[in-house]
Amino acid sequence: MSLLIDDIGELVTNDETGAGPLGILRDAAVVTDGERIAWIGPAARAPQADTRIDAAGAAVLPGFVDSHAHLVFAGDRAAEFAARMAGEAYTGGGIRTTVAATRAATDDELLRAAGRLVAEARRQGTTTVEIKSGYGLTVADEARSLRIAGQLTGETTFLGAHVVPAGADPDEYVDLVRGPMLDACAPYAKWVDVFCDRGAFDGAQARAVLEAGAKRGLGVRVHANQLAAGPGVRLAVELGAASADHCTHLTPADVDALAGSATVATLLPGAEFSTRSSYPDARPLLDAGVRVALATDCNPGSSYTSSMPFCIALAVREMRMTPAEAVFAATAGGALALRRDDVGRLRPGAKADLTVLDAPSYLHLAYRPGVPLIRTVLHNGVPQC
Ligand code: NIG
Ligand code: FE
């Protein structure tokens, strides 16, 4: 089944065939064939297709690639958010509250709640989402979190080393995570991640878990430098991680290490918003040539948003990214952070994942914050709304 989207006023391809850093084509059309893009070019030369969507001059973008989310959990922590807005600091200690609620939930409840968040994200233009475990922290609870995540995405991440569970000895817990827990989880995971930060895992503990995961064939990603400067970013680079995530507290040496590497710096402005923390400055990263992604970090504690447009607006207003840099980071950047070349860009052969905006330009995503600008989402070539 083929589909023609025509009368596109501004088509963001992120591909070198178009103009500027976003590869923009004007007065364009896209033809999809099943799950893939078959043709892109001037609307006047568009071939026929079985069905047609008239974009009526609107902007069309690749679907957002949310490369960092924690969607398998039960309960919420609205009271903790309220306390923070009244001046309390975020320490990550509330993770254990969500762990208790998650362990008490049934598989069905967890799947339905995570599915609702995926649907919520999709309505806001997200067509690829990564989902982490990390609210189970026992062998059985981590494995079931990943089984549930795998029903919703192919981008599943084992985060048994999220925090040390209440009452456990840290070194014994690390041995559990890199031993029996990894054995049980690796079949359901594509990636391994560790929260390497103050109050979570130190550099040596993080290295032990990440190396064990890599040995099992999992790709590496790291929660790094969120709460304090530390070894996380440099460890990520040393281990060839696809992504170092948060990067809120970076030293010049961290920026240099990222600049000489293939590790993407994934910025998560929803976390700074929701923990009332200072935003990282994206400028030194971008100016040094570091590849940057934007993601939601959607979770009930530090960033309970599934909205990539919200993160784009924050990145532009608070992190010194241009609208073009932010949109690229939320699409092609996320794809790089997941080492995917079939999403995040629109070109023949890529997945037919795209959004039609209720706006004439991608600029409106930052210019009109909080406004529902996603008119239509195509996922695997199928219109979602
Ligand atoms: O990425 N930083 C570690 N983990 C999550 C927060 C989890 C929580 O507070 O529940 C994050 O921000
Ligand atoms: Fe996170």
Side-chain angles (χ1 to χ4, degrees), residues 173-224:
Y173 184 66
V174 168
D175 284 342
L176 177 74
V177 171
R178 67 190 180 113
M181 196 183 278
L182 177 63
D183 287 342
C185 290
Y188 307 108
K190 180 168 174 187
W191 304 96
V192 60
D193 190 350
V194 174
F195 184 15
C196 179
D197 219 314
R198 186 174 66 201
F201 296 90
D202 66 21
Q205 294 167 329
R207 175 189 293 278
V209 172
L210 295 170
E211 286 183 344
K215 221 181 256 164
R216 293 293 299 255
L218 304 184
V220 173
R221 36 205 332 106
V222 186
H223 276 74

Side-chain angles (χ1 to χ4, degrees), residues 283-304:
R283 223 42 276 147
L285 290 167
L286 291 161
D287 293 347
V290 176
R291 303 193 293 177
V292 172
L294 281 173
T296 64
D297 196 16
C298 184
N299 76 77
S302 66
S303 182
Y304 202 3

Side-chain angles (χ1 to χ4, degrees), residues 68-70 132 159 162 193 223 226 245-246 268 297 299 302:
H68 183 138
H70 309 245
K132 301 174 196 298
L159 181 59
H162 198 182
D193 190 350
H223 276 74
Q226 176 189 9
D245 299 54
H246 284 283
L268 308 167
D297 196 16
N299 76 77
S302 66

Side-chain angles (χ1 to χ4, degrees), residues 66-73 110-111 114-115 117-118 128-135 145-159 188-191 193 221 298 338:
D66 187 353
S67 59
H68 183 138
H70 309 245
L71 305 186
V72 184
F73 63 85
L110 292 176
L111 178 61
L117 288 170
V118 170
T128 303
V129 63
E130 179 258 21
I131 303 180
K132 301 174 196 298
S133 67
Y135 290 118
S145 293
L146 285 163
R147 277 199 306 274
I148 289 165
Q151 292 178 251
L152 300 166
T153 185
E155 302 294 343
T156 52
T157 300
F158 170 47
L159 181 59
Y188 307 108
K190 180 168 174 187
W191 304 96
D193 190 350
R221 36 205 332 106
C298 184
L338 294 172

Side-chain angles (χ1 to χ4, degrees), residues 12-33:
V12 172
T13 67
N14 291 336
D15 200 48
E16 56 274 5
T17 46
L22 294 181
I24 286 180
L25 299 174
R26 307 228 172 253
D27 303 318
V30 173
V31 177
T32 67
D33 190 8

Side-chain angles (χ1 to χ4, degrees), residues 113-139:
R116 267 198 302 275
L117 288 170
V118 170
E120 183 182 282
R122 186 145 304 145
R123 288 195 294 276
Q124 296 167 92
T126 298
T127 48
T128 303
V129 63
E130 179 258 21
I131 303 180
K132 301 174 196 298
S133 67
Y135 290 118
L137 309 188
T138 64
V139 172

Side-chain angles (χ1 to χ4, degrees), residues 233-238 251-263 288 290:
V233 164
R234 271 160 292 148
L235 181 65
V237 170
E238 184 197 323
T251 63
D254 294 325
V255 177
D256 286 351
L258 286 164
S261 80
T263 301
V290 176

